[in-house]
Amino acid sequence: MLYIGSHVGFNKNTQILGSVLEACSYGANTFMFYTGAPQNTMRNPIDDKLVNDAISKMKEVGIDFSKVVVHAPYIINLCNEEKFDFSVGFLRSEVERVHKLGVKYMVLHPGSHVGLGVDKGIENIISGLNLVLKGDTDVVILLETMAGKGSEVGSTLEEIKRIIDGVEDKSHIGVCLDTCHLNDAGYDMSDFDKYLDYFDDVIGIEKIGCIHINDSKNELNSHKDRHENIGFGTIGFNNLINIIYNERLKEIPRILETPYVDKEYPPYKYEIEMIRSKIFDENLLDKIRKQS
Ligand code: FE
Ligand code: FE
Ligand code: ZN
């Protein structure tokens, strides 16, 4: 079975039930969401009734809850020493929220070292993760592979490996691949099996818990991080289809984070249909504009 979905919203009134309904409207069987605005710390308490209703709905439509993913807020930066206590505290409270929601996987950007250097950055990320992961929740933090924009840590597998090596609680740490970021970081996505072999040598592919499926607006090794709709970027449709249908990652959720068309129309229903059909539609974006 192919587990495919997209980033969806989460608002204070409908919470995870609203996220499930949005995923359903795209024909998805998994999804990813933030538990509140990613750029601030305002969070509403988790409503147990909405969680229960969401679980019933997922059972009804065949969404496997164990494949659902949360994205940690991007204001968290474990590298930054001035923000360190804040980041650790907020990440810890997010882990608790995610645990209360019953979600297992939370994707985290490792952080940006902003002048401290990679070594110090990695050291701080490890200290932060060891403070957050206390072995008292089921939540697995997935470190996202980054594009290497600015001073981002985690754009090479070796950096991700160094972080994992330093984390004491190895059963609660993993990796989230992002195809746009990998391309922009210099990993050629036209031979994904070769990349997986390399990943398996360095870290072990059993550590991959999620894969973000995005095309890229920029060339290989551009260190830019600008996502493009499926088939409309430099990675291309056939390469993305090969990644999506790769048998070695069969059990892993595939999450689209492609841009809204004209910043207005969500493309996910159409992209998921196109991915299921395995046939590229060069008029897809126009079709979305007309049907929205
Ligand atoms: Fe991300
Ligand atoms: Fe991503
Ligand atoms: Zn990105």
Side-chain angles (χ1 to χ4, degrees):
M1 169 127 105
L2 175 66
Y3 296 100
I4 186 148
S6 70
H7 169 77
V8 297
F10 178 96
N11 70 54
K12 65 176 191 294
N13 298 319
T14 59
Q15 298 193 355
I16 189 171
L17 179 61
S19 310
V20 172
L21 295 173
E22 185 181 343
C24 289
S25 76
Y26 301 148
N29 57 6
T30 183
F31 58 93
M32 180 179 81
F33 63 102
Y34 289 98
T35 76
Q39 73 280 14
N40 70 43
T41 57
M42 285 187 334
R43 294 293 182 267
N44 291 94
I46 299 298
D47 182 332
D48 291 326
K49 165 102 177 46
L50 290 170
V51 175
N52 288 330
D53 289 351
I55 290 170
S56 309
K57 186 72 196 172
M58 283 187 268
K59 283 200 180 121
E60 183 194 317
V61 299
I63 292 179
D64 180 346
F65 197 14
S66 71
K67 310 285 181 191
V68 171
V69 184
V70 163
H71 198 305
Y74 51 70
I75 44 167
I76 291 173
N77 182 3
L78 294 175
C79 290
N80 184 330
E81 294 180 348
E82 280 124 64
K83 272 176 68 179
F84 185 77
D85 292 339
F86 159 78
S87 289
V88 168
F90 192 33
L91 183 57
R92 176 65 201 175
S93 68
E94 284 290 294
V95 165
E96 285 164 13
R97 275 169 77 75
V98 168
H99 180 70
K100 195 160 192 300
L101 283 163
V103 173
K104 186 173 172 199
Y105 291 112
M106 181 160 74
V107 174
L108 174 72
H109 294 178
S112 293
H113 67 71
V114 279
L116 284 175
V118 175
D119 291 344
K120 191 70 197 156
I122 288 176
E123 203 178 293
N124 293 343
I125 296 166
I126 292 169
S127 310
L129 289 172
N130 283 334
L131 288 167
V132 168
L133 294 171
K134 300 180 197 163
D136 56 349
T137 75
D138 302 326
V139 178
V140 176
I141 293 181
L142 302 176
L143 300 167
E144 184 164 357
T145 59
M146 302 309 288
K149 191 178 63 181
S151 62
E152 277 173 354
V153 176
S155 66
T156 69
L157 268 191
E158 287 72 14
E159 287 174 10
I160 301 268
K161 181 185 160 49
R162 282 170 65 190
I163 299 169
I164 293 175
D165 283 347
V167 172
E168 288 152 18
D169 184 1
K170 298 268 191 289
S171 61
H172 293 99
I173 192 82
V175 180
C176 170
L177 305 179
D178 183 310
T179 55
C180 168
H181 299 176
L182 288 171
N183 172 81
D184 292 13
Y187 296 108
D188 186 354
M189 291 290 99
S190 68
D191 194 350
F192 190 61
D193 269 304
K194 191 174 147 207
Y195 175 78
L196 285 184
D197 289 341
Y198 171 55
F199 192 104
D200 205 28
D201 282 346
V202 178
I203 292 174
I205 55 171
E206 71 286 350
K207 280 289 181 198
I208 303 172
C210 175
I211 174 161
H212 292 164
I213 303 289
N214 304 302
D215 216 326
S216 173
K217 285 190 195 295
N218 293 97
E219 298 300 323
L220 186 71
N221 209 18
S222 58
H223 303 286
K224 285 277 175 45
D225 189 5
R226 291 184 67 220
H227 301 187
E228 181 56 282
N229 292 103
I230 302 302
F232 293 89
T234 56
I235 301 174
F237 189 71
N238 292 338
N239 288 330
L240 289 168
I241 286 290
N242 285 338
I243 295 168
I244 293 164
Y245 287 94
N246 191 292
E247 286 286 314
R248 295 158 81 184
L249 299 182
K250 219 163 68 188
E251 298 300 320
I252 309 302
R254 283 97 164 105
I255 302 292
L256 303 168
E257 304 174 296
T258 48
Y260 276 31
V261 177
D262 303 334
K263 297 198 168 110
E264 208 177 330
Y265 312 117
Y268 309 121
K269 172 176 182 279
Y270 303 89
E271 288 181 327
I272 289 170
E273 268 172 20
M274 184 169 72
I275 286 164
R276 290 191 192 282
S277 79
K278 300 184 188 174
I279 299 165
F280 182 56
D281 177 0
E282 57 178 15
N283 300 312
L284 191 80
L285 304 183
D286 276 334
K287 188 172 145 190
I288 295 171
R289 286 184 186 103
K290 278 188 200 123
Q291 294 189 10
S292 297

